[in-house]
């Protein structure tokens, strides 16, 4: 019998296993991952950004953990020789009506204790020569890394400390016993004193499977990216973001230099018709039916229908996508970009149509559920893991 079993081998599940091992060095710990490799879904398909925390409500877990995580992630990478770079980013206003929101972002950065500075269009061009804008903000603590490499190191440290990682092990049911929990998996029964659900795109279903009613439903949003052709990478030095639309709960398409030197542009945000649907043609009828029967989705659509339609158009029209990119860098042309990977964001949605806008961790007897951990969870993974470990009761 294990002391702790973590469901989910993404970056949050692995960071949780590390943190538990640090608090309980003699504990028997297992991580269960249904895929043949770790970091297969959200972690392995994200933009690789070490986020500063500028967008998040002061005092929220996202704000606190992003700020601390930007520091701890860099320190972890330095300690373990993982390629990374604190390159900073610019957020730019390209229209007069964006000034108030840019000012709010600047103030939020100050409120969150970040090193931010207002910069003129000329100063923006000193950083990003090809950007055309009316004003900008420089955020110095933003960085880039390959989170798959981070997860590889997490996994190494877990196994070196005696922990176990079980791949191709899908949790199919769980049963409560007086002193333990039995997990029925695709590889047989696993018994644990305490179970932590870090199931990402399936975290709500795992919560329900455990006998607890989740407070929100996971709605998958696919984010599609283009990549600048190698000969056009010089158009982007580091990271370039637009002022986000305050009426829409996503950041808008932006440019990201990856740690391998490639430059990705995106993502949009379209409803995925499958929980792990990375292609437009990926459809799961059961997933679709579940979403259509959920009142929160209809209420979200009523609130953001206009912007949602724009996102769908960008998904099917390269011309529309490139037009969004040209708001930041007018020189970018359709022939300069090629489609690349997509990611799927696990976003918790409340029945009233409101997005759960913070990390959500819920405890229930011998179980703990991470019910909402989208971006910036990778940046904040070490902090989330420590928070979970701190909440776990002492072992019997």
């Amino acid at each position: 019998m294990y002391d702790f079993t973590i469901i989910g081998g993404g970056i949050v599940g692995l960071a949780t296993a590390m943190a538990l091992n640090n608090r309980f060095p003699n504990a028997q710990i297992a991580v269960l991952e249904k895929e043949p490799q770790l970091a297969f879904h959200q972690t392995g398909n994200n933009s690789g950004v070490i986020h500063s925390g500028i967008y998040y409500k002061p005092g929220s877990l996202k704000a606190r953990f992003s700020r601390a995580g930007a520091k701890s992630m860099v320190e972890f990478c330095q300690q373990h020789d993982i390629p990374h770079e604190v390159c900073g980013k610019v957020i730019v206003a390209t229209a007069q009506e964006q000034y108030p929101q840019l000012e709010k972002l600047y103030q939020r950065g100050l409120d969150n204790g970040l090193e931010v500075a207002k910069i003129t269009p000329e100063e923006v061009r000193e950083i990003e020569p090809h950007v055309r804008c009316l004003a900008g903000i420089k955020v110095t603590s933003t960085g880039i890394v390959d989170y798959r490499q981070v997860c590889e190191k997490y996994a190494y440290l877990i196994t070196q400390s005696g922990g176990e990682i079980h791949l191709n092990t899908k949790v199919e049911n769980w049963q409560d016993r007086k002193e333990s929990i039995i997990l029925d998996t695709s590889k047989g029964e696993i018994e644990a004193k305490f179970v932590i659900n870090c199931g990402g795109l399936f975290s709500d279903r795992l919560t329900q499977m455990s006998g607890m009613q989740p407070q929100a439903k996971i709605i998958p949003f696919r984010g599609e990216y283009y990549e600048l052709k190698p000969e056009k990478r010089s158009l982007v030095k580091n990271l370039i973001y637009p002022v986000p639309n305050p009426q829409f709960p996503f950041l808008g398409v932006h440019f990201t230099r990856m740690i391998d030197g490639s430059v990705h542009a995106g993502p949009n945000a379209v409803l995925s018709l499958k929980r792990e649907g990375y292609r437009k043609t990926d459809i799961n009828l059961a997933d679709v039916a579940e979403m259509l029967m959920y009142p929160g989705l209809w209420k979200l659509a009523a609130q953001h229908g206009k912007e949602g339609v724009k996102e769908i158009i960008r998904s099917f029209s390269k011309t529309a996508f490139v037009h969004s990119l040209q708001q930041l860098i007018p020189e970018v042309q359709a022939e300069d970009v090629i489609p690349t990977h997509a990611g799927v964001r696990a976003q918790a949605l409340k029945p009233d149509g409101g997005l759960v806008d913070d990390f959500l961790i819920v405890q229930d007897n011998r179980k703990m559920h991470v019910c909402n951990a989208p971006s910036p969870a990778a940046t904040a993974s070490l902090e989330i893991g420590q928070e979970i470990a701190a909440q776990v009761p002492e072992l019997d």
Side-chain angles (χ1 to χ4, degrees), residues 258-270:
M258 311 293 279
I259 198 66
D260 65 1
S262 63
V263 176
H264 289 191
N268 57 359
V270 294

Side-chain angles (χ1 to χ4, degrees), residues 222-238:
R222 185 173 61 254
E224 298 157 335
Y225 287 86
Y226 282 85
E227 180 180 351
L228 285 180
K229 291 181 177 179
E231 61 269 24
K232 292 294 181 176
R233 290 175 182 174
S234 60
L235 292 174
V236 176
K237 299 300 182 186
N238 293 304

Side-chain angles (χ1 to χ4, degrees), residues 199-214:
L201 284 156
F202 290 91
S203 58
D204 59 336
R205 292 184 184 174
L206 287 163
T207 301
Q208 198 162 20
M209 191 186 294
S210 78
M212 182 180 176
Q213 196 61 33

Side-chain angles (χ1 to χ4, degrees), residues 208-360:
Q208 198 162 20
M209 191 186 294
S210 78
M212 182 180 176
Q213 196 61 33
Q215 301 175 17
K217 184 175 291 296
I218 294 295
I219 300 296
F221 287 92
R222 185 173 61 254
E224 298 157 335
Y225 287 86
Y226 282 85
E227 180 180 351
L228 285 180
K229 291 181 177 179
E231 61 269 24
K232 292 294 181 176
R233 290 175 182 174
S234 60
L235 292 174
V236 176
K237 299 300 182 186
N238 293 304
L239 309 177
I240 306 164
Y241 282 66
V243 174
N245 183 344
Q247 303 304 316
F248 196 59
F250 299 101
L251 297 180
V253 295
H254 48 271
F255 290 96
T256 305
R257 177 170 63 83
M258 311 293 279
I259 198 66
D260 65 1
S262 63
V263 176
H264 289 191
N268 57 359
V270 294
L271 185 68
S272 175
L273 300 181
K274 181 181 178 182
R275 291 246 176 162
E276 293 167 350
Y278 297 98
R279 299 169 299 181
K280 296 180 181 70
T281 54
D282 288 340
I283 300 173
N284 182 293
L285 294 179
D287 289 349
V288 172
E290 181 186 37
M291 288 188 288
L292 291 178
M293 289 188 293
Y294 188 58
L297 181 62
W298 294 102
K299 293 175 181 176
L300 178 71
Q303 295 170 33
H304 303 292
K306 184 178 179 181
E307 290 299 324
V309 169
K310 291 180 183 178
E311 295 293 316
I312 294 171
I313 292 172
R314 268 199 289 254
S315 177
F316 286 92
S317 169
K318 182 178 183 180
T319 299
F321 202 110
V322 171
H323 178 71
S324 296
L325 299 177
Q326 289 171 337
Q327 304 305 302
L328 300 173
I329 299 180
E331 292 174 60
V332 173
Q333 301 299 314
E335 59 268 23
D336 298 334
V337 296
I338 54 176
T340 184
H341 78 285
V344 179
R345 175 190 180 108
Q347 175 62 58
L349 179 66
K350 295 180 283 189
D352 65 2
L355 298 177
V356 178
D357 61 359
D358 204 359
F359 299 137
L360 179 61

Side-chain angles (χ1 to χ4, degrees), residues 33-91:
E33 170 54 50
K34 67 183 178 67
E35 303 294 352
Q37 65 187 68
L38 298 171
F40 194 79
H41 290 292
Q42 286 190 102
T43 305
N45 293 289
N46 68 21
S47 62
V49 174
I50 302 174
H51 289 281
S52 65
I54 189 172
Y55 299 104
Y56 312 117
K57 183 179 178 181
S60 66
L61 293 179
K62 280 189 175 183
R64 293 193 290 114
F65 289 178
S66 287
R67 181 187 173 192
K71 182 179 179 181
S72 62
M73 181 58 65
V74 168
E75 290 174 347
F76 182 87
C77 292
Q78 290 172 338
Q79 182 180 356
H80 297 286
D81 296 321
I82 297 172
H84 67 287
E85 186 178 341
V86 182
C87 55
K89 76 174 180 181
V90 292
I91 304 171

Side-chain angles (χ1 to χ4, degrees), residues 5 7 174 181 183 192-197 366-368:
T5 295
I7 304 172
W174 37 5
I181 294 171
L183 295 174
K193 294 179 182 178
F194 200 97
V195 175
I196 300 162
N197 164 20
R366 292 180 174 273
K367 312 157 195 166
M368 192 174 292

